[in-house]
Amino acid sequence: MTGPTRNWLVPMRARSTDEPHRVSTPLELFFDLCFVVAVAQAAAPLHHSIAEHHVLSGLRGYLMVFFAIWWAWMNFTWFASAYDTDDDVYRLTTFVQIAGCLVLAAGVGPAFEDADFRIITIGYVIMRLALVAQWLRASRSDPERRNVAQRYAIGVAVVQLFWILRLWTPESWPVLPLFLVLVLADVAVPVWAERASGGPTTYHPHHISERYGLFTIIVLGESVSAATLAFRGALDEGSDYNTVLLRLAVAGLVIVFALWWLYFDRSAHALVTTLRTSFLWGYGHYFIFAAAAAVGAGLGVAVDHATHHAEISSTLAGYAIAVPVAVYLFFVWLLHIRPHQSGPMLLAFPVAVVLALLTPLTHASLELLAAVLVGLVAVNVTLGRRVPDRIS
């Protein structure tokens, strides 16, 4: 018995926005898992930078690297929702993007240690130019949205040229301002392209919300993995810290469980039904993803501090977790909760953000942070669901 014959190349036409049973494909799931390798490589240096009291440089490097990971992932995700043909050429082009992500991951170390962004830039450009090829395919097969697809291809290609030229800028030039200019150019491409005649591109709201949810799960899982490695390393040195590590482990798990609960407590597909809301929702997830991955780095810092492997204050160790948790809560509230809720429930998340940022000023800050999150989950479950949903 043989299976159905696969197509090498099929017309890349826009998929329907209300296509039934539109779920993530095995290729998309594989794509996500490979990107988590890059996320892990970005979070590990952040952990060590904070533990060595190089907070600002570590945070700057982390946010810069994470932008490249997130932006390449996001562009593939939205393109796939509109044009996934699952033919052989599409699969091979996606494999090129995955290979570029792995090249980027290999360059994280030099970027953090020596401010050498050559390998990261090469990996990023590989991912982005593979997407240019996809958009050129779409421009040939989808006459209605040809102008949109061509704008994407031109815009992405031009910005990549400037990313490459950035590698030859004089060392005296400031790194961060130039980086921010190129970031703004990159994120402006979809805004410009989607306003072309014939646009916007189609996408499936349920599929998009599922894809973002799956990546949130994977990033939170990476936090658990990073924390587990830190705990394992501490335990291997002896049993002197078993009690304190057990407390940290329980509190850390409660924090991650609560973050998962709060993200998935409301359906998100109704939030991506217009171009404006889709941009805000999609772009805002940069902070959710980056904060979720940084929680794992923060838990690693907490373990280092508890086992006296980090010469930092207990307050800084507490903020290594409290800050990403607060950022995560704020953007989950902004993107997921605020559009649904009205009245007093709108205050629950901002209050929790403030309380989270106060916990490092106390003893047992991690346990108190876990308690704040448990309280927020309880309020959201008991009171939040009694309020009529404004957009369901």
Side-chain angles (χ1 to χ4, degrees):
M1 296 290 292
T2 58
T5 302
R6 288 199 51 78
N7 292 309
W8 169 253
L9 184 67
V10 301
M12 186 173 271
R13 297 192 176 95
R15 299 180 66 152
S16 173
T17 59
D18 57 359
E19 178 183 334
H21 311 297
R22 182 77 165 97
V23 297
S24 298
T25 66
L27 180 60
E28 288 175 318
L29 298 177
F30 181 54
F31 185 90
D32 289 356
L33 286 173
C34 293
F35 264 63
V36 168
V37 175
V39 172
Q41 292 297 312
L46 176 64
H47 162 197
H48 297 301
S49 295
I50 297 174
E52 295 168 3
H53 220 300
H54 303 308
V55 179
L56 292 180
S57 62
L59 184 60
R60 183 185 67 175
Y62 173 73
L63 294 177
M64 291 170 68
V65 171
F66 201 92
F67 167 79
I69 299 168
W70 161 77
W71 188 242
W73 177 89
M74 193 180 90
N75 278 253
F76 168 80
T77 296
W78 288 82
F79 179 88
S81 190
Y83 289 110
D84 184 357
T85 58
D86 196 35
D87 59 17
D88 295 333
V89 173
Y90 179 85
R91 290 185 173 189
L92 291 172
T93 309
T94 303
F95 289 161
V96 172
Q97 291 176 271
I98 292 174
C101 177
L102 299 179
V103 172
L104 184 150
V108 170
F112 270 88
E113 295 167 11
D114 306 314
D116 182 355
F117 290 92
R118 287 177 297 177
I119 298 176
I120 281 185
T121 302
I122 291 170
Y124 181 69
V125 171
I126 290 172
M127 290 188 288
R128 304 293 283 144
L129 291 182
L131 187 66
V132 170
Q134 298 280 44
W135 280 115
L136 290 175
R137 279 192 65 190
S139 71
R140 294 183 59 187
S141 302
D142 188 3
E144 181 181 350
R145 298 171 185 83
R146 179 165 295 155
N147 290 336
V148 178
Q150 288 177 345
R151 280 196 180 190
Y152 268 109
I154 293 170
V156 173
V158 169
V159 176
Q160 300 325 294
L161 175 61
F162 282 101
W163 279 112
I164 294 172
L165 292 176
R166 173 178 173 268
L167 297 177
W168 281 274
T169 56
E171 293 185 2
S172 59
W173 285 26
V175 174
L176 188 58
L178 182 57
F179 174 83
L180 292 176
V181 168
L182 291 176
V183 164
L184 290 175
D186 242 337
V187 300
V189 170
V191 179
W192 171 65
E194 293 290 348
R195 284 170 168 74
S197 59
T201 53
T202 62
Y203 57 87
H204 198 293
H206 285 274
H207 176 246
I208 286 293
S209 62
E210 181 195 25
R211 294 287 292 115
Y212 273 72
L214 288 172
F215 200 70
T216 301
I217 291 173
I218 290 175
V219 175
L220 286 173
E222 169 54 34
S223 286
V224 174
S225 175
T228 301
L229 290 175
F231 285 115
R232 181 69 265 170
L235 289 173
D236 286 343
E237 296 187 9
S239 59
D240 294 343
Y241 304 107
N242 282 356
T243 301
V244 66
L245 289 177
L246 179 61
R247 286 171 42 214
L248 291 178
V250 172
L253 278 179
V254 170
I255 288 170
V256 174
F257 291 163
L259 296 180
W260 176 91
W261 191 303
L262 293 167
Y263 182 91
F264 290 99
D265 200 52
R266 293 288 187 277
S267 174
H269 67 273
L271 302 174
V272 288
T273 54
T274 68
L275 184 63
R276 178 179 177 275
T277 57
S278 296
F279 275 128
L280 294 174
W281 190 85
Y283 284 16
H285 268 74
Y286 167 78
F287 301 97
I288 292 178
F289 294 154
V295 168
L299 289 172
V301 171
V303 171
D304 287 349
H305 178 264
T307 56
H308 306 294
H309 285 83
E311 298 298 327
I312 57 175
S313 67
S314 59
T315 302
L316 178 56
Y319 275 118
I321 304 175
V323 169
V325 166
V327 172
Y328 181 97
L329 291 179
F330 177 79
F331 280 93
V332 168
W333 170 79
L334 184 67
L335 302 178
H336 278 205
I337 305 300
R338 188 181 60 85
H340 284 278
Q341 291 289 353
S342 60
M345 267 306 300
L346 281 177
L347 297 176
F349 272 74
V351 169
V353 168
V354 174
L355 292 177
L357 293 174
L358 292 176
T359 57
L361 303 178
T362 67
H363 296 293
S365 62
L366 196 62
E367 291 87 343
L368 284 174
L369 181 59
V372 168
L373 292 177
V374 169
L376 181 58
V377 170
V379 169
N380 206 47
V381 169
T382 57
L383 300 181
R385 294 178 184 175
R386 297 178 187 175
V387 180
D389 198 321
R390 294 192 297 180
I391 62 173
S392 62

